[in-house]
Amino acid sequence: MVISYRVGMHRLTRSAAVVAALLALSGCGSSGSAPSATGEFGKLPQITLPSSTPPSEFSATVVVEGTGKRLAEGDTVQAHFVGKRWRGGDIIGQTYKDGKPILFPVGAGQLLPGWEKGLVGQRVGSRVLIVTPPDDAFGDTGNLGLEITPDDTLVFAFDLLKAFDGSSSADGAPVTPPAGLPKVTAAPASKPAITIPANYTPGNKLVVQQLLKGNGRTVAKGDTILAQYVGVI
């Protein structure tokens, strides 16, 4: 379950969603026939656009081939991205500057059609360059806030960092909780079960108890997290 999305992504989706930091920068022109994305994976790529008329057909090109799992419909993806408008070469959005990748579901109908078409089936660890004609971008409405017209073709580069599906679960060292709390049991990749003791009397204070101690970095204020949970009354 996606707990939250970063403010700003709604401008790059057709419904509520995800991104950050919109910039207005000049792009570089090229006499080549197709866009290119160069640079190190995980760092802001340089998207070079041809000086020719944009193509009328959608395309998705794997620039760097990853070795991770293939993205399936329903997966939640963690990725960096940068997007450019073909007309003028301006950057319309990117996540590399603040070092905070985005989380978004694929195959759920929340993204631009070109994102859905271009990302499903790609491997984690890949850099994918997507060319989205108007019908696969904002369609007849465009996007006034990003100065995107109904006729604009957009180009995106994605670095696919991680992917999570319905079987994703926490992994860490067990922590023994104090006596008297509800009991939580779970096998790896399975839904936890919560058992409330028959004589349990809830208090009037919040109780937070760690059950598995992970080895990742500490969650900080302003972070976007992905979590699955079970709740009972």
Side-chain angles (χ1 to χ4, degrees):
M1 175 180 178
V2 176
I3 299 299
S4 64
Y5 294 113
R6 294 243 297 284
V7 175
M9 178 80 170
H10 67 280
R11 291 186 173 185
L12 291 173
T13 62
R14 290 196 168 176
S15 60
V18 205
V19 162
L22 300 178
L23 303 177
L25 301 176
S26 297
C28 297
S30 167
S31 59
S33 59
S36 64
T38 57
E40 184 180 346
F41 180 87
K43 296 184 178 180
L44 178 65
Q46 174 65 51
I47 296 180
T48 304
L49 302 177
S51 56
S52 58
T53 302
S56 59
E57 299 297 324
F58 166 86
S59 67
T61 303
V62 177
V63 179
V64 176
E65 178 72 41
T67 58
K69 74 180 293 289
R70 291 192 181 277
L71 304 186
E73 291 187 355
D75 284 353
T76 295
V77 183
Q78 183 189 56
H80 274 304
F81 93 101
V82 59
K84 277 191 173 184
R85 190 180 60 232
W86 192 293
R87 174 180 55 85
D90 294 332
I91 289 181
I92 58 171
Q94 63 108 340
T95 59
Y96 296 88
K97 183 178 180 181
D98 65 2
K100 293 183 178 180
I102 55 174
L103 287 170
F104 56 91
V106 293
Q110 295 185 16
L111 308 175
L112 297 181
W115 289 22
E116 302 275 18
K117 293 166 62 174
L119 296 180
V120 172
Q122 304 292 0
R123 288 190 179 277
V124 171
S126 296
R127 170 169 288 174
V128 184
L129 184 66
I130 300 176
V131 178
T132 58
D135 285 349
D136 289 310
F138 289 97
D140 295 336
T141 61
N143 187 300
L144 182 62
L146 297 178
E147 299 181 355
I148 295 171
T149 72
D151 299 321
D152 275 328
T153 292
L154 307 179
V155 180
F156 298 95
F158 284 89
D159 285 344
L160 306 178
L161 306 178
K162 296 179 181 180
F164 308 88
D165 58 25
S167 66
S168 298
S169 60
D171 182 21
V175 176
T176 302
L181 292 179
K183 184 179 180 181
V184 179
T185 56
S190 65
K191 183 173 71 173
I194 301 175
T195 304
I196 300 177
N199 61 348
Y200 180 72
T201 301
N204 57 7
K205 293 183 179 181
L206 175 68
V207 177
V208 178
Q209 174 60 47
Q210 188 178 54
L211 300 176
L212 293 175
K213 183 176 178 59
N215 57 10
R217 73 173 183 83
T218 302
V219 176
K221 183 178 180 180
D223 284 349
T224 298
I225 65 170
L226 175 70
Q228 302 203 81
Y229 73 93
V230 174
V232 299
I233 299 177

